[in-house]
Structure formats: C-alpha cells, structure tokens
Amino acid sequence: MAPETKICAQHIDFFYGRTRALKDISLDIYANRVTALIGPSGCGKSTFIRLINRMNDLIPGTRVEGKIIMDGLDINHPRTDVVDLRRRVGMVFQKPNPFPKSIYENMSYGLRINGMKDRNFIEQRVVSALKKAALYDDVKDRLHESALMLSGGQQQRLCIARCLVVEPEVILFDEPCASLDPISTRKIEELILELKKDYTIVIVTHNMQQAARVSDYTAFMYMGELVEYDLTEKIFTVPKERMTEEYLSGKFG
Amino acid sequence: MGKRSFTTMTMFILLAVMTLTAHAVSAVAADRAIIVKGSTTVLPVIQVAAEIFMDKNPEANISVQGGGSGVGIASLLDKTTDIATSSRKIKPEEIEKAKASGINVNEIPIAIDGIAVIVHPVNTVKAMTRTQIREIYTGKITDWSQLGGRKGKIVVVTRDTSSGTFEAFEALALNKEKVRPDALSSASNQAVAQTVAQTPGAVGYVGHGYLTPRVKAVAVDGVQCTKQAIQSEKYPLSRYLYVYTNGRPSGDVQRFINFILSKEGQRLVEEEGFVDILK
Amino acid sequence: MSAMKIQRKALVTLKEGAYKWLFATLAFASLVFLVGIVFTLLTESLPVFSKIRPTSFLFGPFWYPTADPPEMGIWPLITASFAVTAGAMVVCVPIGVGTALFIHELAGRRQRAFLKPVIEILAGIPSIVYGFFGMVVVAPILQDLLGIPTGLCAFTASLVLGIMATPTVASLAEDALSFVPRSFREASLALGANRWQTLTRVVMPAAGSGISTAVILGMGRAVGETMTVLMVAGGAAMVPKSLFDPVRPMTSTIAAEMGEAVMGSLHYNALFAIGLMLFLITLGVNIIAEIISRRFRLKLGLGR
Ligand SMILES: Nc1ncnc2c1ncn2[C@@H]1O[C@H](COP(=O)(O)OP(=O)(O)OP(=O)(O)O)[C@@H](O)[C@H]1O
Ligand SMILES: [Mg+2]
C-alpha cells in the first residue's frame, strides 16, 4: 500500500545570487503523510520548502533549476498561477505572525482576498477551520478581539487555522514550535497528527524528538544536499548514512 | 519626589521663567548709553548708523528703540531719551509742554522720506492724484479702467501696518482712512517691488531708494518721483525726517548726529531708501 | 578601617545622588522651558483681554492693529492658517504617503538610492528658500496659468507649504512602513494575496498609527511655518472667500509685526495672544495625534 506522491522534486538547484543553497535535490512528498526536514542550521531546509509555494520569488536575485511537480502542475513554470498555488499550499512560519487585526479578520482574510463576499459562507468556513485547529473553544467568545492578545501557542494555532480556511492541500511548517513552550508544542504536534488525515504536511524542525513523534518520512539535509530520505522509523533506527547517524546522535550540528 | 526636591524643582522653574521674562521687562540699562527713541521709519537708518558709529568709537554706547514718533517726542519731554526721532514735525502743543518742563527743543532734519507709487511697467497708467491713490487703497477704485488704463482688477499691495513706510504712506496719502482688508501685504520694500514687478495689475508703494527698473513710478499730482522733486518738497508724498534733542547737543550725542549728517551718514540714509538732505 | 568603609559608602551614595540629580535636571529642562513659555505667553497676552473681549478678539473680522482706534479681530488670521494648512495637507499627504509607499514597496534598489537622498535634501532646504522660490517662480506661473490677479494667495501658499511638508510626511511614513514586520507581509502573500492586497489590507493598516503620526507632524510643520507663508500667502488680513484670495496666517502676522510693535502696547500683547492661540492649536493637534496612536496601539493589542 504505497502512498500516493503529492509533490515530486526533481534535481533542484537553487541560487541566492552566486551562492548555491540547494544542490541537486530530488525527493517525493507523499499525500496525507507528514514529511520532516532535518539538518543543521543553514543547510537549506527553509529554502527548500519555500520553493514549494514560491515564496522565494520575493527575494531578488534568486534562481531555481530543476522541476517541482505537484499533482501534475509544474510549480516553477512561469505561467503557473502563484496566487492559486499559494492557496493550495499553505504555510506556517517559525514565529506566529497573526495580522494586527481581530481574530475573525485574520481568519477571513484568505477568503476575502479571493473575492469571497458571502458572510454566512465566510463565517461557516472560519468556524470550521478554528475547530479543526482546536482553537475554537479558546476564542469563540472573543472573535472580534485583537489576535495579538492571544498567547504564543494560540497565535500559532490561529496561523494554522488561517491557512486551513482557504482549504489548502499541502501545509508547510517552518519550525512552527521554535518559539513555543512544551505544552503549546505538544498541542501543535497533536494538531499536525490530526491534520494529516486531510492534508499533506511538510515540517522543518530542529527537534529530533518532534520529527520522530510527528513525521512518517524524514529527510536529512546537509550543506544544501539531501543526504538521506526514508521512513522516519528507518532514519531514526537504522540510518544508511554515517552522517545521518552522527547528526542524530548529536555528534555535530 | 520628596518635599525638598519639589521645592528645588519649583525654584528651577521660577529661575527659568525669570530668565525668560527678564528681557521683556528690563529696558536696556547699560551705563551712560545714549538712548535714541522714536519713529519706526527712522529706526533702520539710526540702527545702521549707530552700529558703524560704535565700531568707530568703541567707547560710545548707543541704544536704539522704536515706538513711533509720538513716543519718541514724549520720551524727550520726560527726559527718558537723549535723542527723539520723528517722521513728522513736532506739534505746537508738544513744544508748549516742552517749555513747561524746561526743555529746549532742538530740531535737526536728517533725511527725506519720499514714497514712490509703483505699477507694473506694462501698465498704461502714468499718473495719479493723491485722491485717486487714497481711493485705490481704501477700495473705492477697483479697476484700472477707472483710471483710464486697460480694464483689469487692481491688485493693491501695501506694507505691514507697523512698518515705517506704511506709516509715512498713511500719513501722506491715506488721510487716516483704512486700507482695504484684502490688500496684499508685504514685509519689506523689496518684497513690494518684487510683487509689483511680477503682477501686471498691481499697484504698490516703496521708499524712493527702492525703485528699480522692473517697476514704474507714477507721477503724483503731476509731479514725477525724482530725487530733486523730493528734495525740493514738490513731490507730494514726501516728508522730512527729524531728530530732536534737548538744547544743542554735546559730547557723543553731538558726534553721533554729526556722523548722520556727514557724507558717510547720508550715504547710509540713501542705502535705507531715503533721500539725503540738501546742504 | 571600618570608618574608611563608611566614608567610601557615603561617597558612593553621594555620587549616585549627584547623577540622579544631573539627569533629573536634564530631563526636566524641557518641562522648565515649556512652563516658561506658557507663563510668558499668558502674562504677555492676557492684558489684551482687559481691553478687547475674547470673543471679539477671536471672531472679529478685521485686523487693523495700528489704526486709531485699533481693531483686533484675528478671525481672518485663524481662517487663513486653517485654509493654508488644509491646502498643504491636500498636497503633502498624497505625495508624502505615496512617495513612502513607492520607496518602500515598489522602488528598486537604484530608485531607492536616488529618491531617499532627494527627499532628505528637500527636507534640509531652509524655509526662506522655499518662500523665495514660491514668490519668484511658483506665484507668477500660477498667476499666468490660472489667470488670477495675483499668484500670492492661499493656493500658492498651500502648494509651497505642502511641498515643504512632504519630506517630513514621506520619511516618517516610510519609517512607519519599515517598522511593519516582514512576517505580516509573508503571511499575507503566503495566503495568496497579491502585492497590492498585502499593501492595502495588511501593511498600511499596520503602519496606520505611524502614518497618521507622520501626517500630523507634517500638519504641525505646515501650521507653524512662518517664513514661507510670509512670502507667498499675500498677507491680506481678510477671511478668504476662495482659495485664490491672499491670506495672512497667524504665524506670518506675528513675524511681520512683532519687530515693529511697541513693547508693552496693546498690539504687542495681541501678537502674544496670537502666539497663545497657535500654541493651543498645536497642543490640540498633538493631543489628537496621541489619541489616534493610542487607539491604534489598542487595536494592535500592544499594551495601552
Ligand atoms: N535571502 C537570502 N540571501 C542569501 N542567502 C540566503 C538567504 N536566505 C538563506 N540564505 C543562505 O542559504 C543557505 C540556506 O539557508 P536556509 O535558510 O534555507 O537554511 P535552514 O536550513 O532553513 O537553516 P535554519 O535551520 O537556521 O533555519 C544558508 O547558507 C543561508 O545563508
Ligand atoms: Mg530555516
């Protein structure tokens, strides 16, 4: 029962000006699975996941080679509709970044920018996304208060809920728990496990236990290269590469 | 904040307030300074003259104040000034008062103020009567066609009401009537000349010394505004400017007045836009 | 031995006390000046109201301070200040905020490297130069272009003042925009918003309080500006009926007349009273600015 491939990266090279940040990366990301990216700081994890929703477009002077295909869509093709792509591929950042608006406005933003006007529809979507993100009970009585009044963990769950509203297929997490306490982290992890039923998830993390707990597949990167990619169990128990083993046992990093 | 520090703070504040208001309260009280007080028209001349005079005579100390001709003469009468400046002749009743308080009024003309009425060079109007000028400035005449010129709104340019030139113009041409409130008002003679030079419909007035080729002076009551006409008192918008002293001046006062009357002093008079007196 | 210790301790205490005093004095210096200024304004201006009723001072339609008897109504001066300031805002808010947005959002590195110094130079030009430029260049051009009797009018003053206040608004608004965390932008773009939506719905509202502060400080610059209006506003003490009437704002009235007014005279006091009015107006503007930015802060949830 091999899982279905959702995203297929083929021979990706990426340059920040002259610096080559990714070197010939090929990997498949499977639908309804959690794929973790691990590796020492600066190895290109963020660079890689930001290619999936083309956030690197915003950085002047960058260049990508190779192909990323998602359900047959060539992501890097110049005619690809970036707005639609970003709707299909949501992203949650390292630091919770709710807008300085009310909780409700944060939630409805993704729908409104896409021209949605039907109030009932918006409300329905907002409520259901908040429920999915396990935040509804926390905030149902103060939807119109500023999102910045929430705790860090709640803010991060709001950010997750905010991308759920537009019903993406893939969610990219770039170190989502880096600024959170253990309890909030635990909640986010539970949430990720819950979400994988409906979404394809890619998560960058520096926390090995976290990768072990939440992910089905793990990719270990080093200096812009993909060193090893396999089922998480295998990576953590019987890594093929010595470098992976050394990294996991904390010999370097 | 403790009680003691509060008191200290209060003292600080009081000190600052005192310093700030001090300049407003104290009349300049340097020792043995010659005080010159009076007409704002004469003020600029006296000021430059005093500066140069003090440069040449470092021991001399001259304090120059405005206030208006009336204030200057009143100060002379109550002996709070050494020299009164005035843009008008002293009045008979003021002489009476002077006599009563034992003051011997001594009059010395130092310059002539001649006010040129100017228009844009393209304006076809070449002459006006004093009545017409008054009616323009008070708002009875509003269009050049009423003066035989080409049709067009008259843009009236005046000086700030506290300036000496305004004072002179008011005295010589306005007959105590008020300038229309929508008249443009400029802060200096040069600004008036500039405004008139760039506004075809404008009329303004400046001291004779500020006439430039970029504006045209009109004849007033048939007399052209020339230096000779002003010196001979034929030009109607002209008047002598005086200084008054108590008795014949002596010492630094005398030397200062002599300096104003000297060739160099009269050159300063011309530089300030007035006409030098014939000797 | 222990005596020395105690001595040293006392010295340290003394030193600390001295530092505390020094900085407290410095900190309170501005307060002292404020109090001094208010005190001076009040003492010098109040005598006016013993001769002229406050209502006729404020709302009197004529300003003939040196006439006999004097007429001292500053309504024309107040309306002039408001008209010119409002006009200047119409010019400097769109240009200033637009410039800030362009520099911040659209300009490439080269355009930015060119525009920023230009704005700084514009900000550094002394106001008298603006005044001169307005009087000798802008006024005649507008006069010909619009066929108005004189170019020295509220419109020209607004235009020149507006250009003058533009750098203030532009650079402060740009600061405000750059304080918006990049993460807001990224969040918006990652949700599929385009640049324009991100700008208008996320960045600008987030920079709102900073931008309104910029606008208000620009307004402060316009209200308080003296030299320029003195040279280009025309100086007619009359309630303007149109934008193209010459006007005499409060600042230029004080500047033009203070030098010549007899110290201690009614006219002198009246000029101080105008100063007091200006002070109260700027105070009001600042209070409004504070309220606005506080509201924004509340809305952003950044403490109160
Ligand atoms: N905007 C940029 N311009 C130039 N170089 C960049 C830029 N962003 C990242 N890099 C470089 O690209 C390489 C990969 O960076 P990246 O942020 O992808 O690493 P990472 O694995 O996410 O690290 P971390 O775990 O610290 O987040 C690094 O060497 C980094 O210095
Ligand atoms: Mg990273």
Side-chain angles (χ1 to χ4, degrees):
Chain A
M1 199 192 64
E4 195 185 313
T5 299
K6 180 75 182 175
I7 297 167
C8 170
Q10 298 162 358
H11 307 295
I12 295 294
D13 277 272
F14 186 82
F15 301 85
Y16 289 108
R18 292 239 183 82
T19 333
R20 190 170 170 207
L22 296 178
K23 295 168 194 160
D24 193 27
I25 305 247
S26 297
L27 96 174
D28 285 1
I29 290 166
Y30 301 107
N32 298 97
R33 295 290 184 278
V34 177
T35 303
L37 294 184
I38 61 172
S41 200
C43 68
K45 306 180 294 290
S46 299
T47 305
F48 180 75
I49 66 164
R50 288 165 62 92
L51 278 175
I52 301 175
N53 65 347
R54 289 202 24 197
M55 284 300 272
N56 286 332
D57 287 13
L58 307 172
I59 306 168
T62 57
R63 185 161 57 87
V64 59
E65 282 168 13
K67 269 191 180 171
I68 304 180
I69 309 289
M70 178 171 84
D71 290 343
L73 172 79
D74 181 354
I75 287 178
N76 288 325
H77 195 280
R79 273 206 296 269
T80 296
D81 178 354
V82 182
V83 167
D84 186 59
L85 171 71
R86 291 190 184 143
R87 203 187 49 67
R88 289 172 63 187
V89 182
M91 185 162 202
V92 175
F93 297 82
Q94 177 169 350
K95 259 191 159 162
N97 58 354
F99 301 127
K101 297 169 181 281
S102 74
I103 295 169
Y104 192 85
E105 284 169 312
N106 264 279
M107 292 299 297
S108 55
Y109 184 80
L111 294 172
R112 285 184 199 281
I113 53 169
N114 286 308
M116 191 66 65
K117 294 233 166 65
D118 182 346
R119 287 227 188 137
N120 290 332
F121 177 81
I122 291 177
E123 186 170 342
Q124 217 178 307
R125 281 273 196 100
V126 165
V127 169
S128 101
L130 282 171
K131 280 183 179 156
K132 266 193 206 160
L135 190 61
Y136 186 67
D137 291 332
D138 294 26
V139 301
K140 63 172 184 271
D141 300 324
R142 43 179 177 150
L143 287 175
H144 296 285
E145 278 175 31
S146 169
L148 301 179
M149 302 289 223
L150 297 174
S151 76
Q154 289 171 326
Q155 288 190 10
Q156 194 62 304
R157 274 183 283 151
L158 178 68
C159 292
I160 296 171
R162 185 174 64 184
C163 48
L164 297 182
V165 165
V166 291
E167 304 197 325
E169 298 155 28
V170 179
I171 306 176
L172 310 172
F173 289 90
D174 193 349
E175 301 182 46
C177 304
S179 62
L180 301 182
D181 64 288
I183 295 172
S184 309
T185 301
R186 179 45 53 89
K187 280 194 181 155
I188 303 269
E189 287 178 7
E190 281 164 12
L191 181 57
I192 289 173
L193 289 172
E194 193 62 32
L195 291 173
K196 94 179 182 185
K197 290 178 196 147
D198 302 316
Y199 306 91
T200 301
I201 290 170
V202 183
I203 176 170
V204 170
T205 179
H206 279 286
N207 180 335
M208 296 308 127
Q209 283 82 15
Q210 183 169 66
R213 281 193 298 261
V214 301
S215 69
D216 304 300
Y217 291 85
T218 296
F220 170 58
M221 291 174 68
Y222 184 69
M223 304 257 288
E225 288 180 77
L226 180 63
V227 177
E228 189 169 355
Y229 178 49
D230 210 331
L231 284 168
T232 301
E233 300 165 21
K234 287 199 182 157
I235 292 272
F236 277 84
T237 51
V238 284
K240 290 197 195 87
E241 303 288 331
R242 238 191 60 201
M243 216 189 269
T244 314
E245 194 187 334
E246 280 176 3
Y247 181 71
L248 289 174
S249 60
K251 290 229 176 78
F252 71 95
Chain B
M1 210 185 269
K3 194 174 172 188
R4 230 190 38 197
S5 45
F6 180 74
T7 327
T8 323
M9 198 53 68
T10 321
M11 271 170 57
F12 256 117
I13 293 171
L14 276 179
L15 206 76
V17 169
M18 272 156 58
T19 333
L20 277 166
T21 44
H23 88 278
V25 175
S26 74
V28 182
D31 262 345
R32 331 239 300 112
I34 299 173
I35 297 174
V36 186
K37 204 171 193 176
S39 163
T40 46
T41 312
V42 190
L43 188 70
V45 177
I46 299 290
Q47 237 152 13
V48 281
E51 272 162 33
I52 294 172
F53 184 76
M54 284 189 283
D55 274 353
K56 292 186 168 173
N57 306 281
E59 79 290 348
N61 189 357
I62 302 171
S63 153
V64 184
Q65 297 162 28
S69 304
V71 172
I73 291 172
S75 308
L76 185 75
L77 300 195
D78 62 21
K79 296 185 184 162
T80 54
T81 189
D82 302 298
I83 302 175
T85 59
S86 176
S87 55
R88 59 168 168 81
K89 238 180 156 51
I90 190 164
K91 292 175 192 162
E93 61 265 31
E94 284 166 336
I95 296 181
E96 285 305 309
K97 253 196 218 157
K99 275 187 189 143
S101 42
I103 284 168
N104 177 18
V105 174
N106 179 34
E107 177 183 283
I108 307 155
I110 54 159
I112 318 171
D113 193 1
I115 309 255
V117 174
I118 54 173
V119 295
H120 194 273
V122 301
N123 201 320
T124 52
V125 175
K126 291 191 165 57
M128 295 176 189
T129 65
R130 251 198 288 184
T131 316
Q132 284 173 328
I133 292 171
R134 192 182 70 233
E135 287 180 348
I136 291 170
Y137 271 85
T138 52
K140 279 193 203 87
I141 296 178
T142 57
D143 199 286
W144 286 110
S145 58
Q146 290 168 273
L147 298 166
R150 257 185 258 119
K151 206 169 156 44
K153 204 181 150 201
I154 301 180
V155 177
V156 176
V157 185
T158 184
R159 285 292 309 280
D160 286 309
T161 52
S162 13
S163 69
T165 314
F166 174 80
E167 197 208 344
F169 184 74
E170 189 186 35
L172 295 169
L174 291 185
N175 203 10
K176 295 247 158 196
E177 287 183 53
K178 282 176 189 154
V179 171
R180 50 190 296 177
D182 61 353
L184 295 184
S185 165
S186 294
S188 68
N189 277 297
Q190 289 95 330
V192 172
Q194 172 70 30
T195 305
V196 173
Q198 67 188 32
T199 313
V203 61
Y205 56 86
V206 294
H208 173 265
Y210 293 97
L211 278 177
T212 75
R214 298 177 61 211
V215 296
K216 186 173 78 178
V218 298
V220 178
D221 289 344
V223 184
Q224 283 298 336
C225 181
T226 62
K227 201 168 160 185
Q228 291 73 26
I230 292 169
Q231 283 171 330
S232 59
E233 290 186 83
K234 286 206 187 83
Y235 183 69
L237 301 185
S238 68
R239 60 181 183 175
Y240 271 90
L241 303 176
Y242 306 92
V243 299
Y244 290 93
T245 57
N246 179 8
R248 302 212 98 232
S250 60
D252 275 353
V253 175
Q254 184 192 17
R255 282 173 47 215
F256 181 51
I257 293 174
N258 283 344
F259 172 70
I260 298 173
L261 296 173
S262 71
K263 218 174 188 170
E264 191 181 356
Q266 290 297 298
R267 212 193 61 233
L268 296 176
V269 162
E270 282 193 286
E271 276 171 10
E272 289 301 320
F274 302 110
V275 174
D276 55 329
I277 50 169
L278 273 180
K279 273 217 253 147
Chain C
M1 195 59 182
S2 87
M4 220 167 93
K5 238 184 192 167
I6 290 170
Q7 224 177 20
R8 177 153 330 135
K9 211 170 165 191
L11 202 73
V12 170
T13 325
L14 200 78
K15 243 188 180 168
E16 264 177 22
Y19 281 130
K20 208 176 129 195
W21 268 107
L22 177 67
F23 288 111
T25 313
L26 292 176
F28 277 96
S30 49
L31 177 73
V32 171
F33 279 112
L34 179 66
V35 171
I37 287 169
V38 172
F39 185 81
T40 315
L41 280 178
L42 281 175
T43 50
E44 295 291 342
S45 63
L46 288 183
V48 165
F49 300 113
S50 62
K51 302 247 170 56
I52 299 174
R53 267 183 302 124
T55 45
S56 46
F57 182 74
L58 282 180
F59 301 113
F62 294 110
W63 176 250
Y64 284 111
T66 55
D68 196 18
E71 284 188 67
M72 293 188 180
I74 63 167
W75 190 238
L77 318 182
I78 295 176
T79 48
S81 282
F82 273 97
V84 169
T85 305
M89 297 322 284
V90 171
V91 175
C92 75
V93 171
I95 300 185
V97 176
T99 308
L101 288 177
F102 179 77
I103 288 183
H104 206 260
E105 298 292 326
L106 301 171
R109 207 169 296 163
R110 271 223 224 112
Q111 287 163 311
R112 191 174 316 183
F114 169 75
L115 272 175
K116 281 194 100 169
V118 165
I119 288 168
E120 271 151 32
I121 290 169
L122 213 56
I125 296 175
S127 56
I128 192 145
V129 175
Y130 277 99
F132 199 69
F133 175 74
M135 181 176 180
V136 178
V137 180
V138 181
I141 291 176
L142 288 177
Q143 187 174 303
D144 289 348
L145 219 61
L146 305 171
I148 44 180
T150 172
L152 300 176
C153 60
F155 183 81
T156 313
S158 296
L159 195 68
V160 176
L161 266 192
I163 292 166
M164 242 180 102
T166 296
T168 310
V169 176
S171 59
L172 288 172
E174 213 248 309
D175 283 351
L177 287 173
S178 61
F179 281 136
V180 175
R182 214 183 66 190
S183 64
F184 290 175
R185 250 174 260 269
E186 288 194 325
S188 168
L189 293 166
L191 284 166
N194 59 32
R195 250 178 172 183
W196 177 246
Q197 290 168 324
T198 303
L199 186 61
T200 53
R201 299 188 191 206
V202 176
V203 178
M204 276 174 64
S209 106
I211 293 178
S212 31
T213 311
V215 167
I216 285 166
L217 288 178
M219 193 151 112
R221 172 116 211 235
V223 177
E225 177 46 42
T226 306
M227 240 16 250
T228 313
V229 284
L230 185 63
M231 293 171 83
V232 297
M238 201 189 54
V239 178
K241 289 195 207 72
S242 95
L243 263 180
F244 302 105
D245 280 346
V247 293
R248 187 180 187 84
M250 294 190 274
T251 46
S252 50
T253 306
I254 299 177
E257 298 174 18
M258 193 48 114
E260 320 266 14
V262 180
M263 205 178 270
S265 67
L266 195 64
H267 184 197
Y268 180 84
N269 294 332
L271 293 177
F272 268 95
I274 297 175
L276 185 67
M277 272 304 296
L278 264 174
F279 175 78
L280 292 177
I281 290 171
T282 27
L283 189 71
V285 167
N286 277 321
I287 290 174
I288 292 169
E290 184 57 35
I291 291 172
I292 289 177
S293 75
R294 195 171 292 191
R295 273 223 191 116
F296 262 104
R297 248 179 281 155
L298 264 186
K299 210 172 126 204
L300 298 182
L302 305 172
R304 41 218 88 189

